[in-house]
Amino acid sequence: MHYVLDFILMLPLLIVFCIESLVKLFIPKKKKSVAGEIVLITGAGHGIGRLTAYEFAKLKTKLVLWDINKSGIEETALKCRKLGAQAHPFVVDCSKRDQIYSAAKKVKEEVGNVSILVNNAGVVYTSDLFATQDAQIEKTFEVNVLAHFWTTKAFLPDMMKNNHGHIVTVASAAGHTVVPFLLAYCSSKFAAVGFHRALTDELAALGKHGVKTSCLCPNFINTGFIKNPSTNLGPTLEPEEVVENLMYGILTEKKMIFVPSSIKLLMAFEKILPERFLAVLKHRLNIKFDAVIGYKDK
Ligand SMILES: NC(=O)c1ccc[n+]([C@@H]2O[C@H](COP(=O)([O-])OP(=O)(O)OC[C@H]3O[C@@H](n4cnc5c(N)ncnc54)[C@H](O)[C@@H]3O)[C@@H](O)[C@H]2O)c1
Ligand SMILES: *[C@@H]1O[C@H](CO)[C@@H](O)[C@H](O)[C@H]1NC(C)=O
Ligand SMILES: *[C@@H]1O[C@H](CO)[C@@H](O)[C@H](O)[C@H]1NC(C)=O
């Protein structure tokens, strides 16, 4: 009874906020300025991380670039400098907590306070549970989610002190919906989405409204990360398109960025439609990629 009454009392609020969201849809959003800020991007030696670095370089930020791949990160840094930005490449294996903490210390001493952190580095092993080695399962979690804890612990305190900053989580559509033969990857990306959502609430609970959060959840992207992906949900995304959406989302302080945005609708369907219909729908989506199957029916 109590709950019903509570809900009725909250109805006017619901209506006001629905109208507000609807109106906001039609008002172009203002992009914030990031000039002069120090931006750290993990996994900046290739793909999404690299292109994101280029976009931030054009916006007159200082870049701190982390990757396990030395030549990749140096190429990215060179191009950022050509675009007119300061760039500081660091070779860091994000699956190693001690490397993250020691690199973070060096960054603070040599460059300064990071105010935009983009946790982008990721790994994937496309195989069924039995063909995925234990060490690969551990690596997936270390890079795709545990690293986010260590980098955030290292750089968030200064952002909180200044009540200014932005933590960006690169997750995946696979952080909301599941796909066979991506068991470790999906569970690590669900964890990354959970990390982003819980961190967002924690910052609000602590009154740090100046520290923003964004989470990117894209479908397959043409970076070579997953081999030969395809789905009827749409063509494999070009990395440029994803990064354009990511930058717009960060600069307008959007919390959840789906690419394509139709994924949002699919997520809503998954929560309300009957299981059997969803099975048919998923079959029609026909999600495919190269994977190793270790299980054998004897
Ligand atoms: N490509 C896709 O289909 C797709 C779809 C959804 C989400 N994502 C996510 O986007 C992010 C970027 O992926 P991408 O497509 O640009 O991949 P990519 O392979 O092109 O780039 C990933 C970069 O991360 C680096 N990296 C890997 N392990 C690392 C480690 N231990 N420490 C430091 N750096 C490391 C790699 O060297 C590489 O430069 C990942 O988190 C991925 O999960 C990708
Ligand atoms: C490292 O980066 C270089 C330069 O971009 C690339 O040619 C090479 O394939 C990368 N190595 C690995 C292991 O990803
Ligand atoms: C970094 O932030 C701290 C607050 O946490 C501040 O005391 C310090 O002066 C800042 N350093 C620089 C170089 O801005």
Side-chain angles (χ1 to χ4, degrees):
M1 218 33 237
H2 178 93
Y3 301 109
V4 178
L5 199 69
D6 243 14
F7 184 74
I8 292 171
L9 287 175
M10 276 161 54
L11 264 183
L13 269 186
L14 177 65
I15 293 166
V16 169
F17 289 152
C18 282
I19 294 172
E20 188 194 30
S21 318
L22 196 71
V23 171
K24 274 188 177 166
L25 275 182
F26 296 98
I27 301 174
K29 293 196 184 68
K30 243 183 84 187
K31 292 187 193 169
K32 68 174 168 187
S33 162
V34 290
E37 311 233 6
I38 300 178
V39 183
L40 189 153
I41 304 172
T42 69
H46 194 256
I48 299 303
R50 169 176 276 178
L51 294 182
T52 304
Y54 296 163
E55 291 310 310
F56 273 113
K58 292 177 196 162
L59 297 175
K60 316 248 171 307
T61 61
K62 280 187 204 168
L63 286 150
V64 179
L65 308 168
W66 285 11
D67 204 287
I68 198 171
N69 183 337
K70 187 165 190 284
S71 51
I73 205 78
E74 277 170 355
E75 268 177 32
T76 308
L78 204 67
K79 175 87 184 281
C80 287
R81 288 182 197 125
K82 277 191 188 145
L83 290 166
Q86 256 188 50
H88 306 264
F90 291 80
V91 176
V92 183
D93 180 348
C94 290
S95 69
K96 304 276 188 286
R97 183 179 54 193
D98 52 340
Q99 281 195 32
I100 290 179
Y101 283 151
S102 61
K105 194 160 163 270
K106 251 170 100 182
V107 167
K108 287 185 204 193
E109 287 162 5
E110 293 172 14
V111 191
N113 289 336
V114 169
S115 56
I116 302 178
L117 169 64
V118 183
N119 279 312
N120 160 80
V123 292
V124 67
Y125 302 96
T126 43
S127 45
D128 73 348
L129 179 61
F130 307 101
T132 317
Q133 295 155 22
D134 293 356
Q136 294 177 325
I137 295 172
E138 281 168 352
K139 181 74 80 185
T140 305
F141 276 84
E142 283 161 1
V143 180
N144 294 3
V145 64
L146 286 177
H148 298 206
F149 281 86
W150 319 140
T151 55
T152 304
K153 266 194 140 176
F155 296 110
L156 183 60
D158 288 330
M159 296 186 204
M160 289 176 80
K161 251 185 216 148
N162 304 320
N163 195 21
H164 175 82
H166 207 135
I167 308 273
V168 180
T169 302
V170 176
S172 170
H176 295 268
T177 190
V178 295
V179 189
F181 315 127
L182 279 179
L183 196 43
Y185 184 75
C186 284
S187 31
S188 74
K189 291 294 182 181
F190 265 70
V193 170
F195 174 85
H196 156 77
R197 294 186 51 192
L199 178 69
T200 303
D201 274 19
E202 191 161 305
L203 286 166
L206 294 171
K208 297 296 175 186
H209 300 286
V211 183
K212 310 293 178 183
T213 57
S214 296
C215 182
L216 175 71
C217 294
N219 196 3
F220 293 131
I221 314 163
N222 197 1
T223 57
F225 185 70
I226 288 179
K227 306 285 174 284
N228 297 318
S230 73
T231 146
N232 290 336
L233 202 63
T236 299
L237 300 162
E238 288 307 320
E240 289 77 9
E241 178 189 358
V242 175
V243 170
E244 195 185 317
N245 279 278
L246 174 62
M247 291 307 295
Y248 181 78
I250 294 173
L251 298 176
T252 59
E253 300 176 342
K254 206 167 160 183
K255 290 210 177 72
M256 196 59 87
I257 307 158
F258 287 108
V259 192
S261 50
S262 57
I263 292 185
K264 201 173 172 175
L265 205 65
L266 193 69
M267 301 300 121
F269 280 165
E270 275 214 322
K271 298 219 166 81
I272 50 172
L273 295 180
E275 227 170 84
R276 286 185 42 166
F277 180 81
L278 284 173
V280 175
L281 184 67
K282 275 219 161 165
H283 190 74
R284 295 281 291 261
L285 288 180
N286 196 19
I287 298 170
K288 278 196 199 146
F289 48 86
D290 294 355
V292 180
I293 313 295
Y295 179 73
K296 295 211 172 48
D297 230 348
K298 289 198 189 94

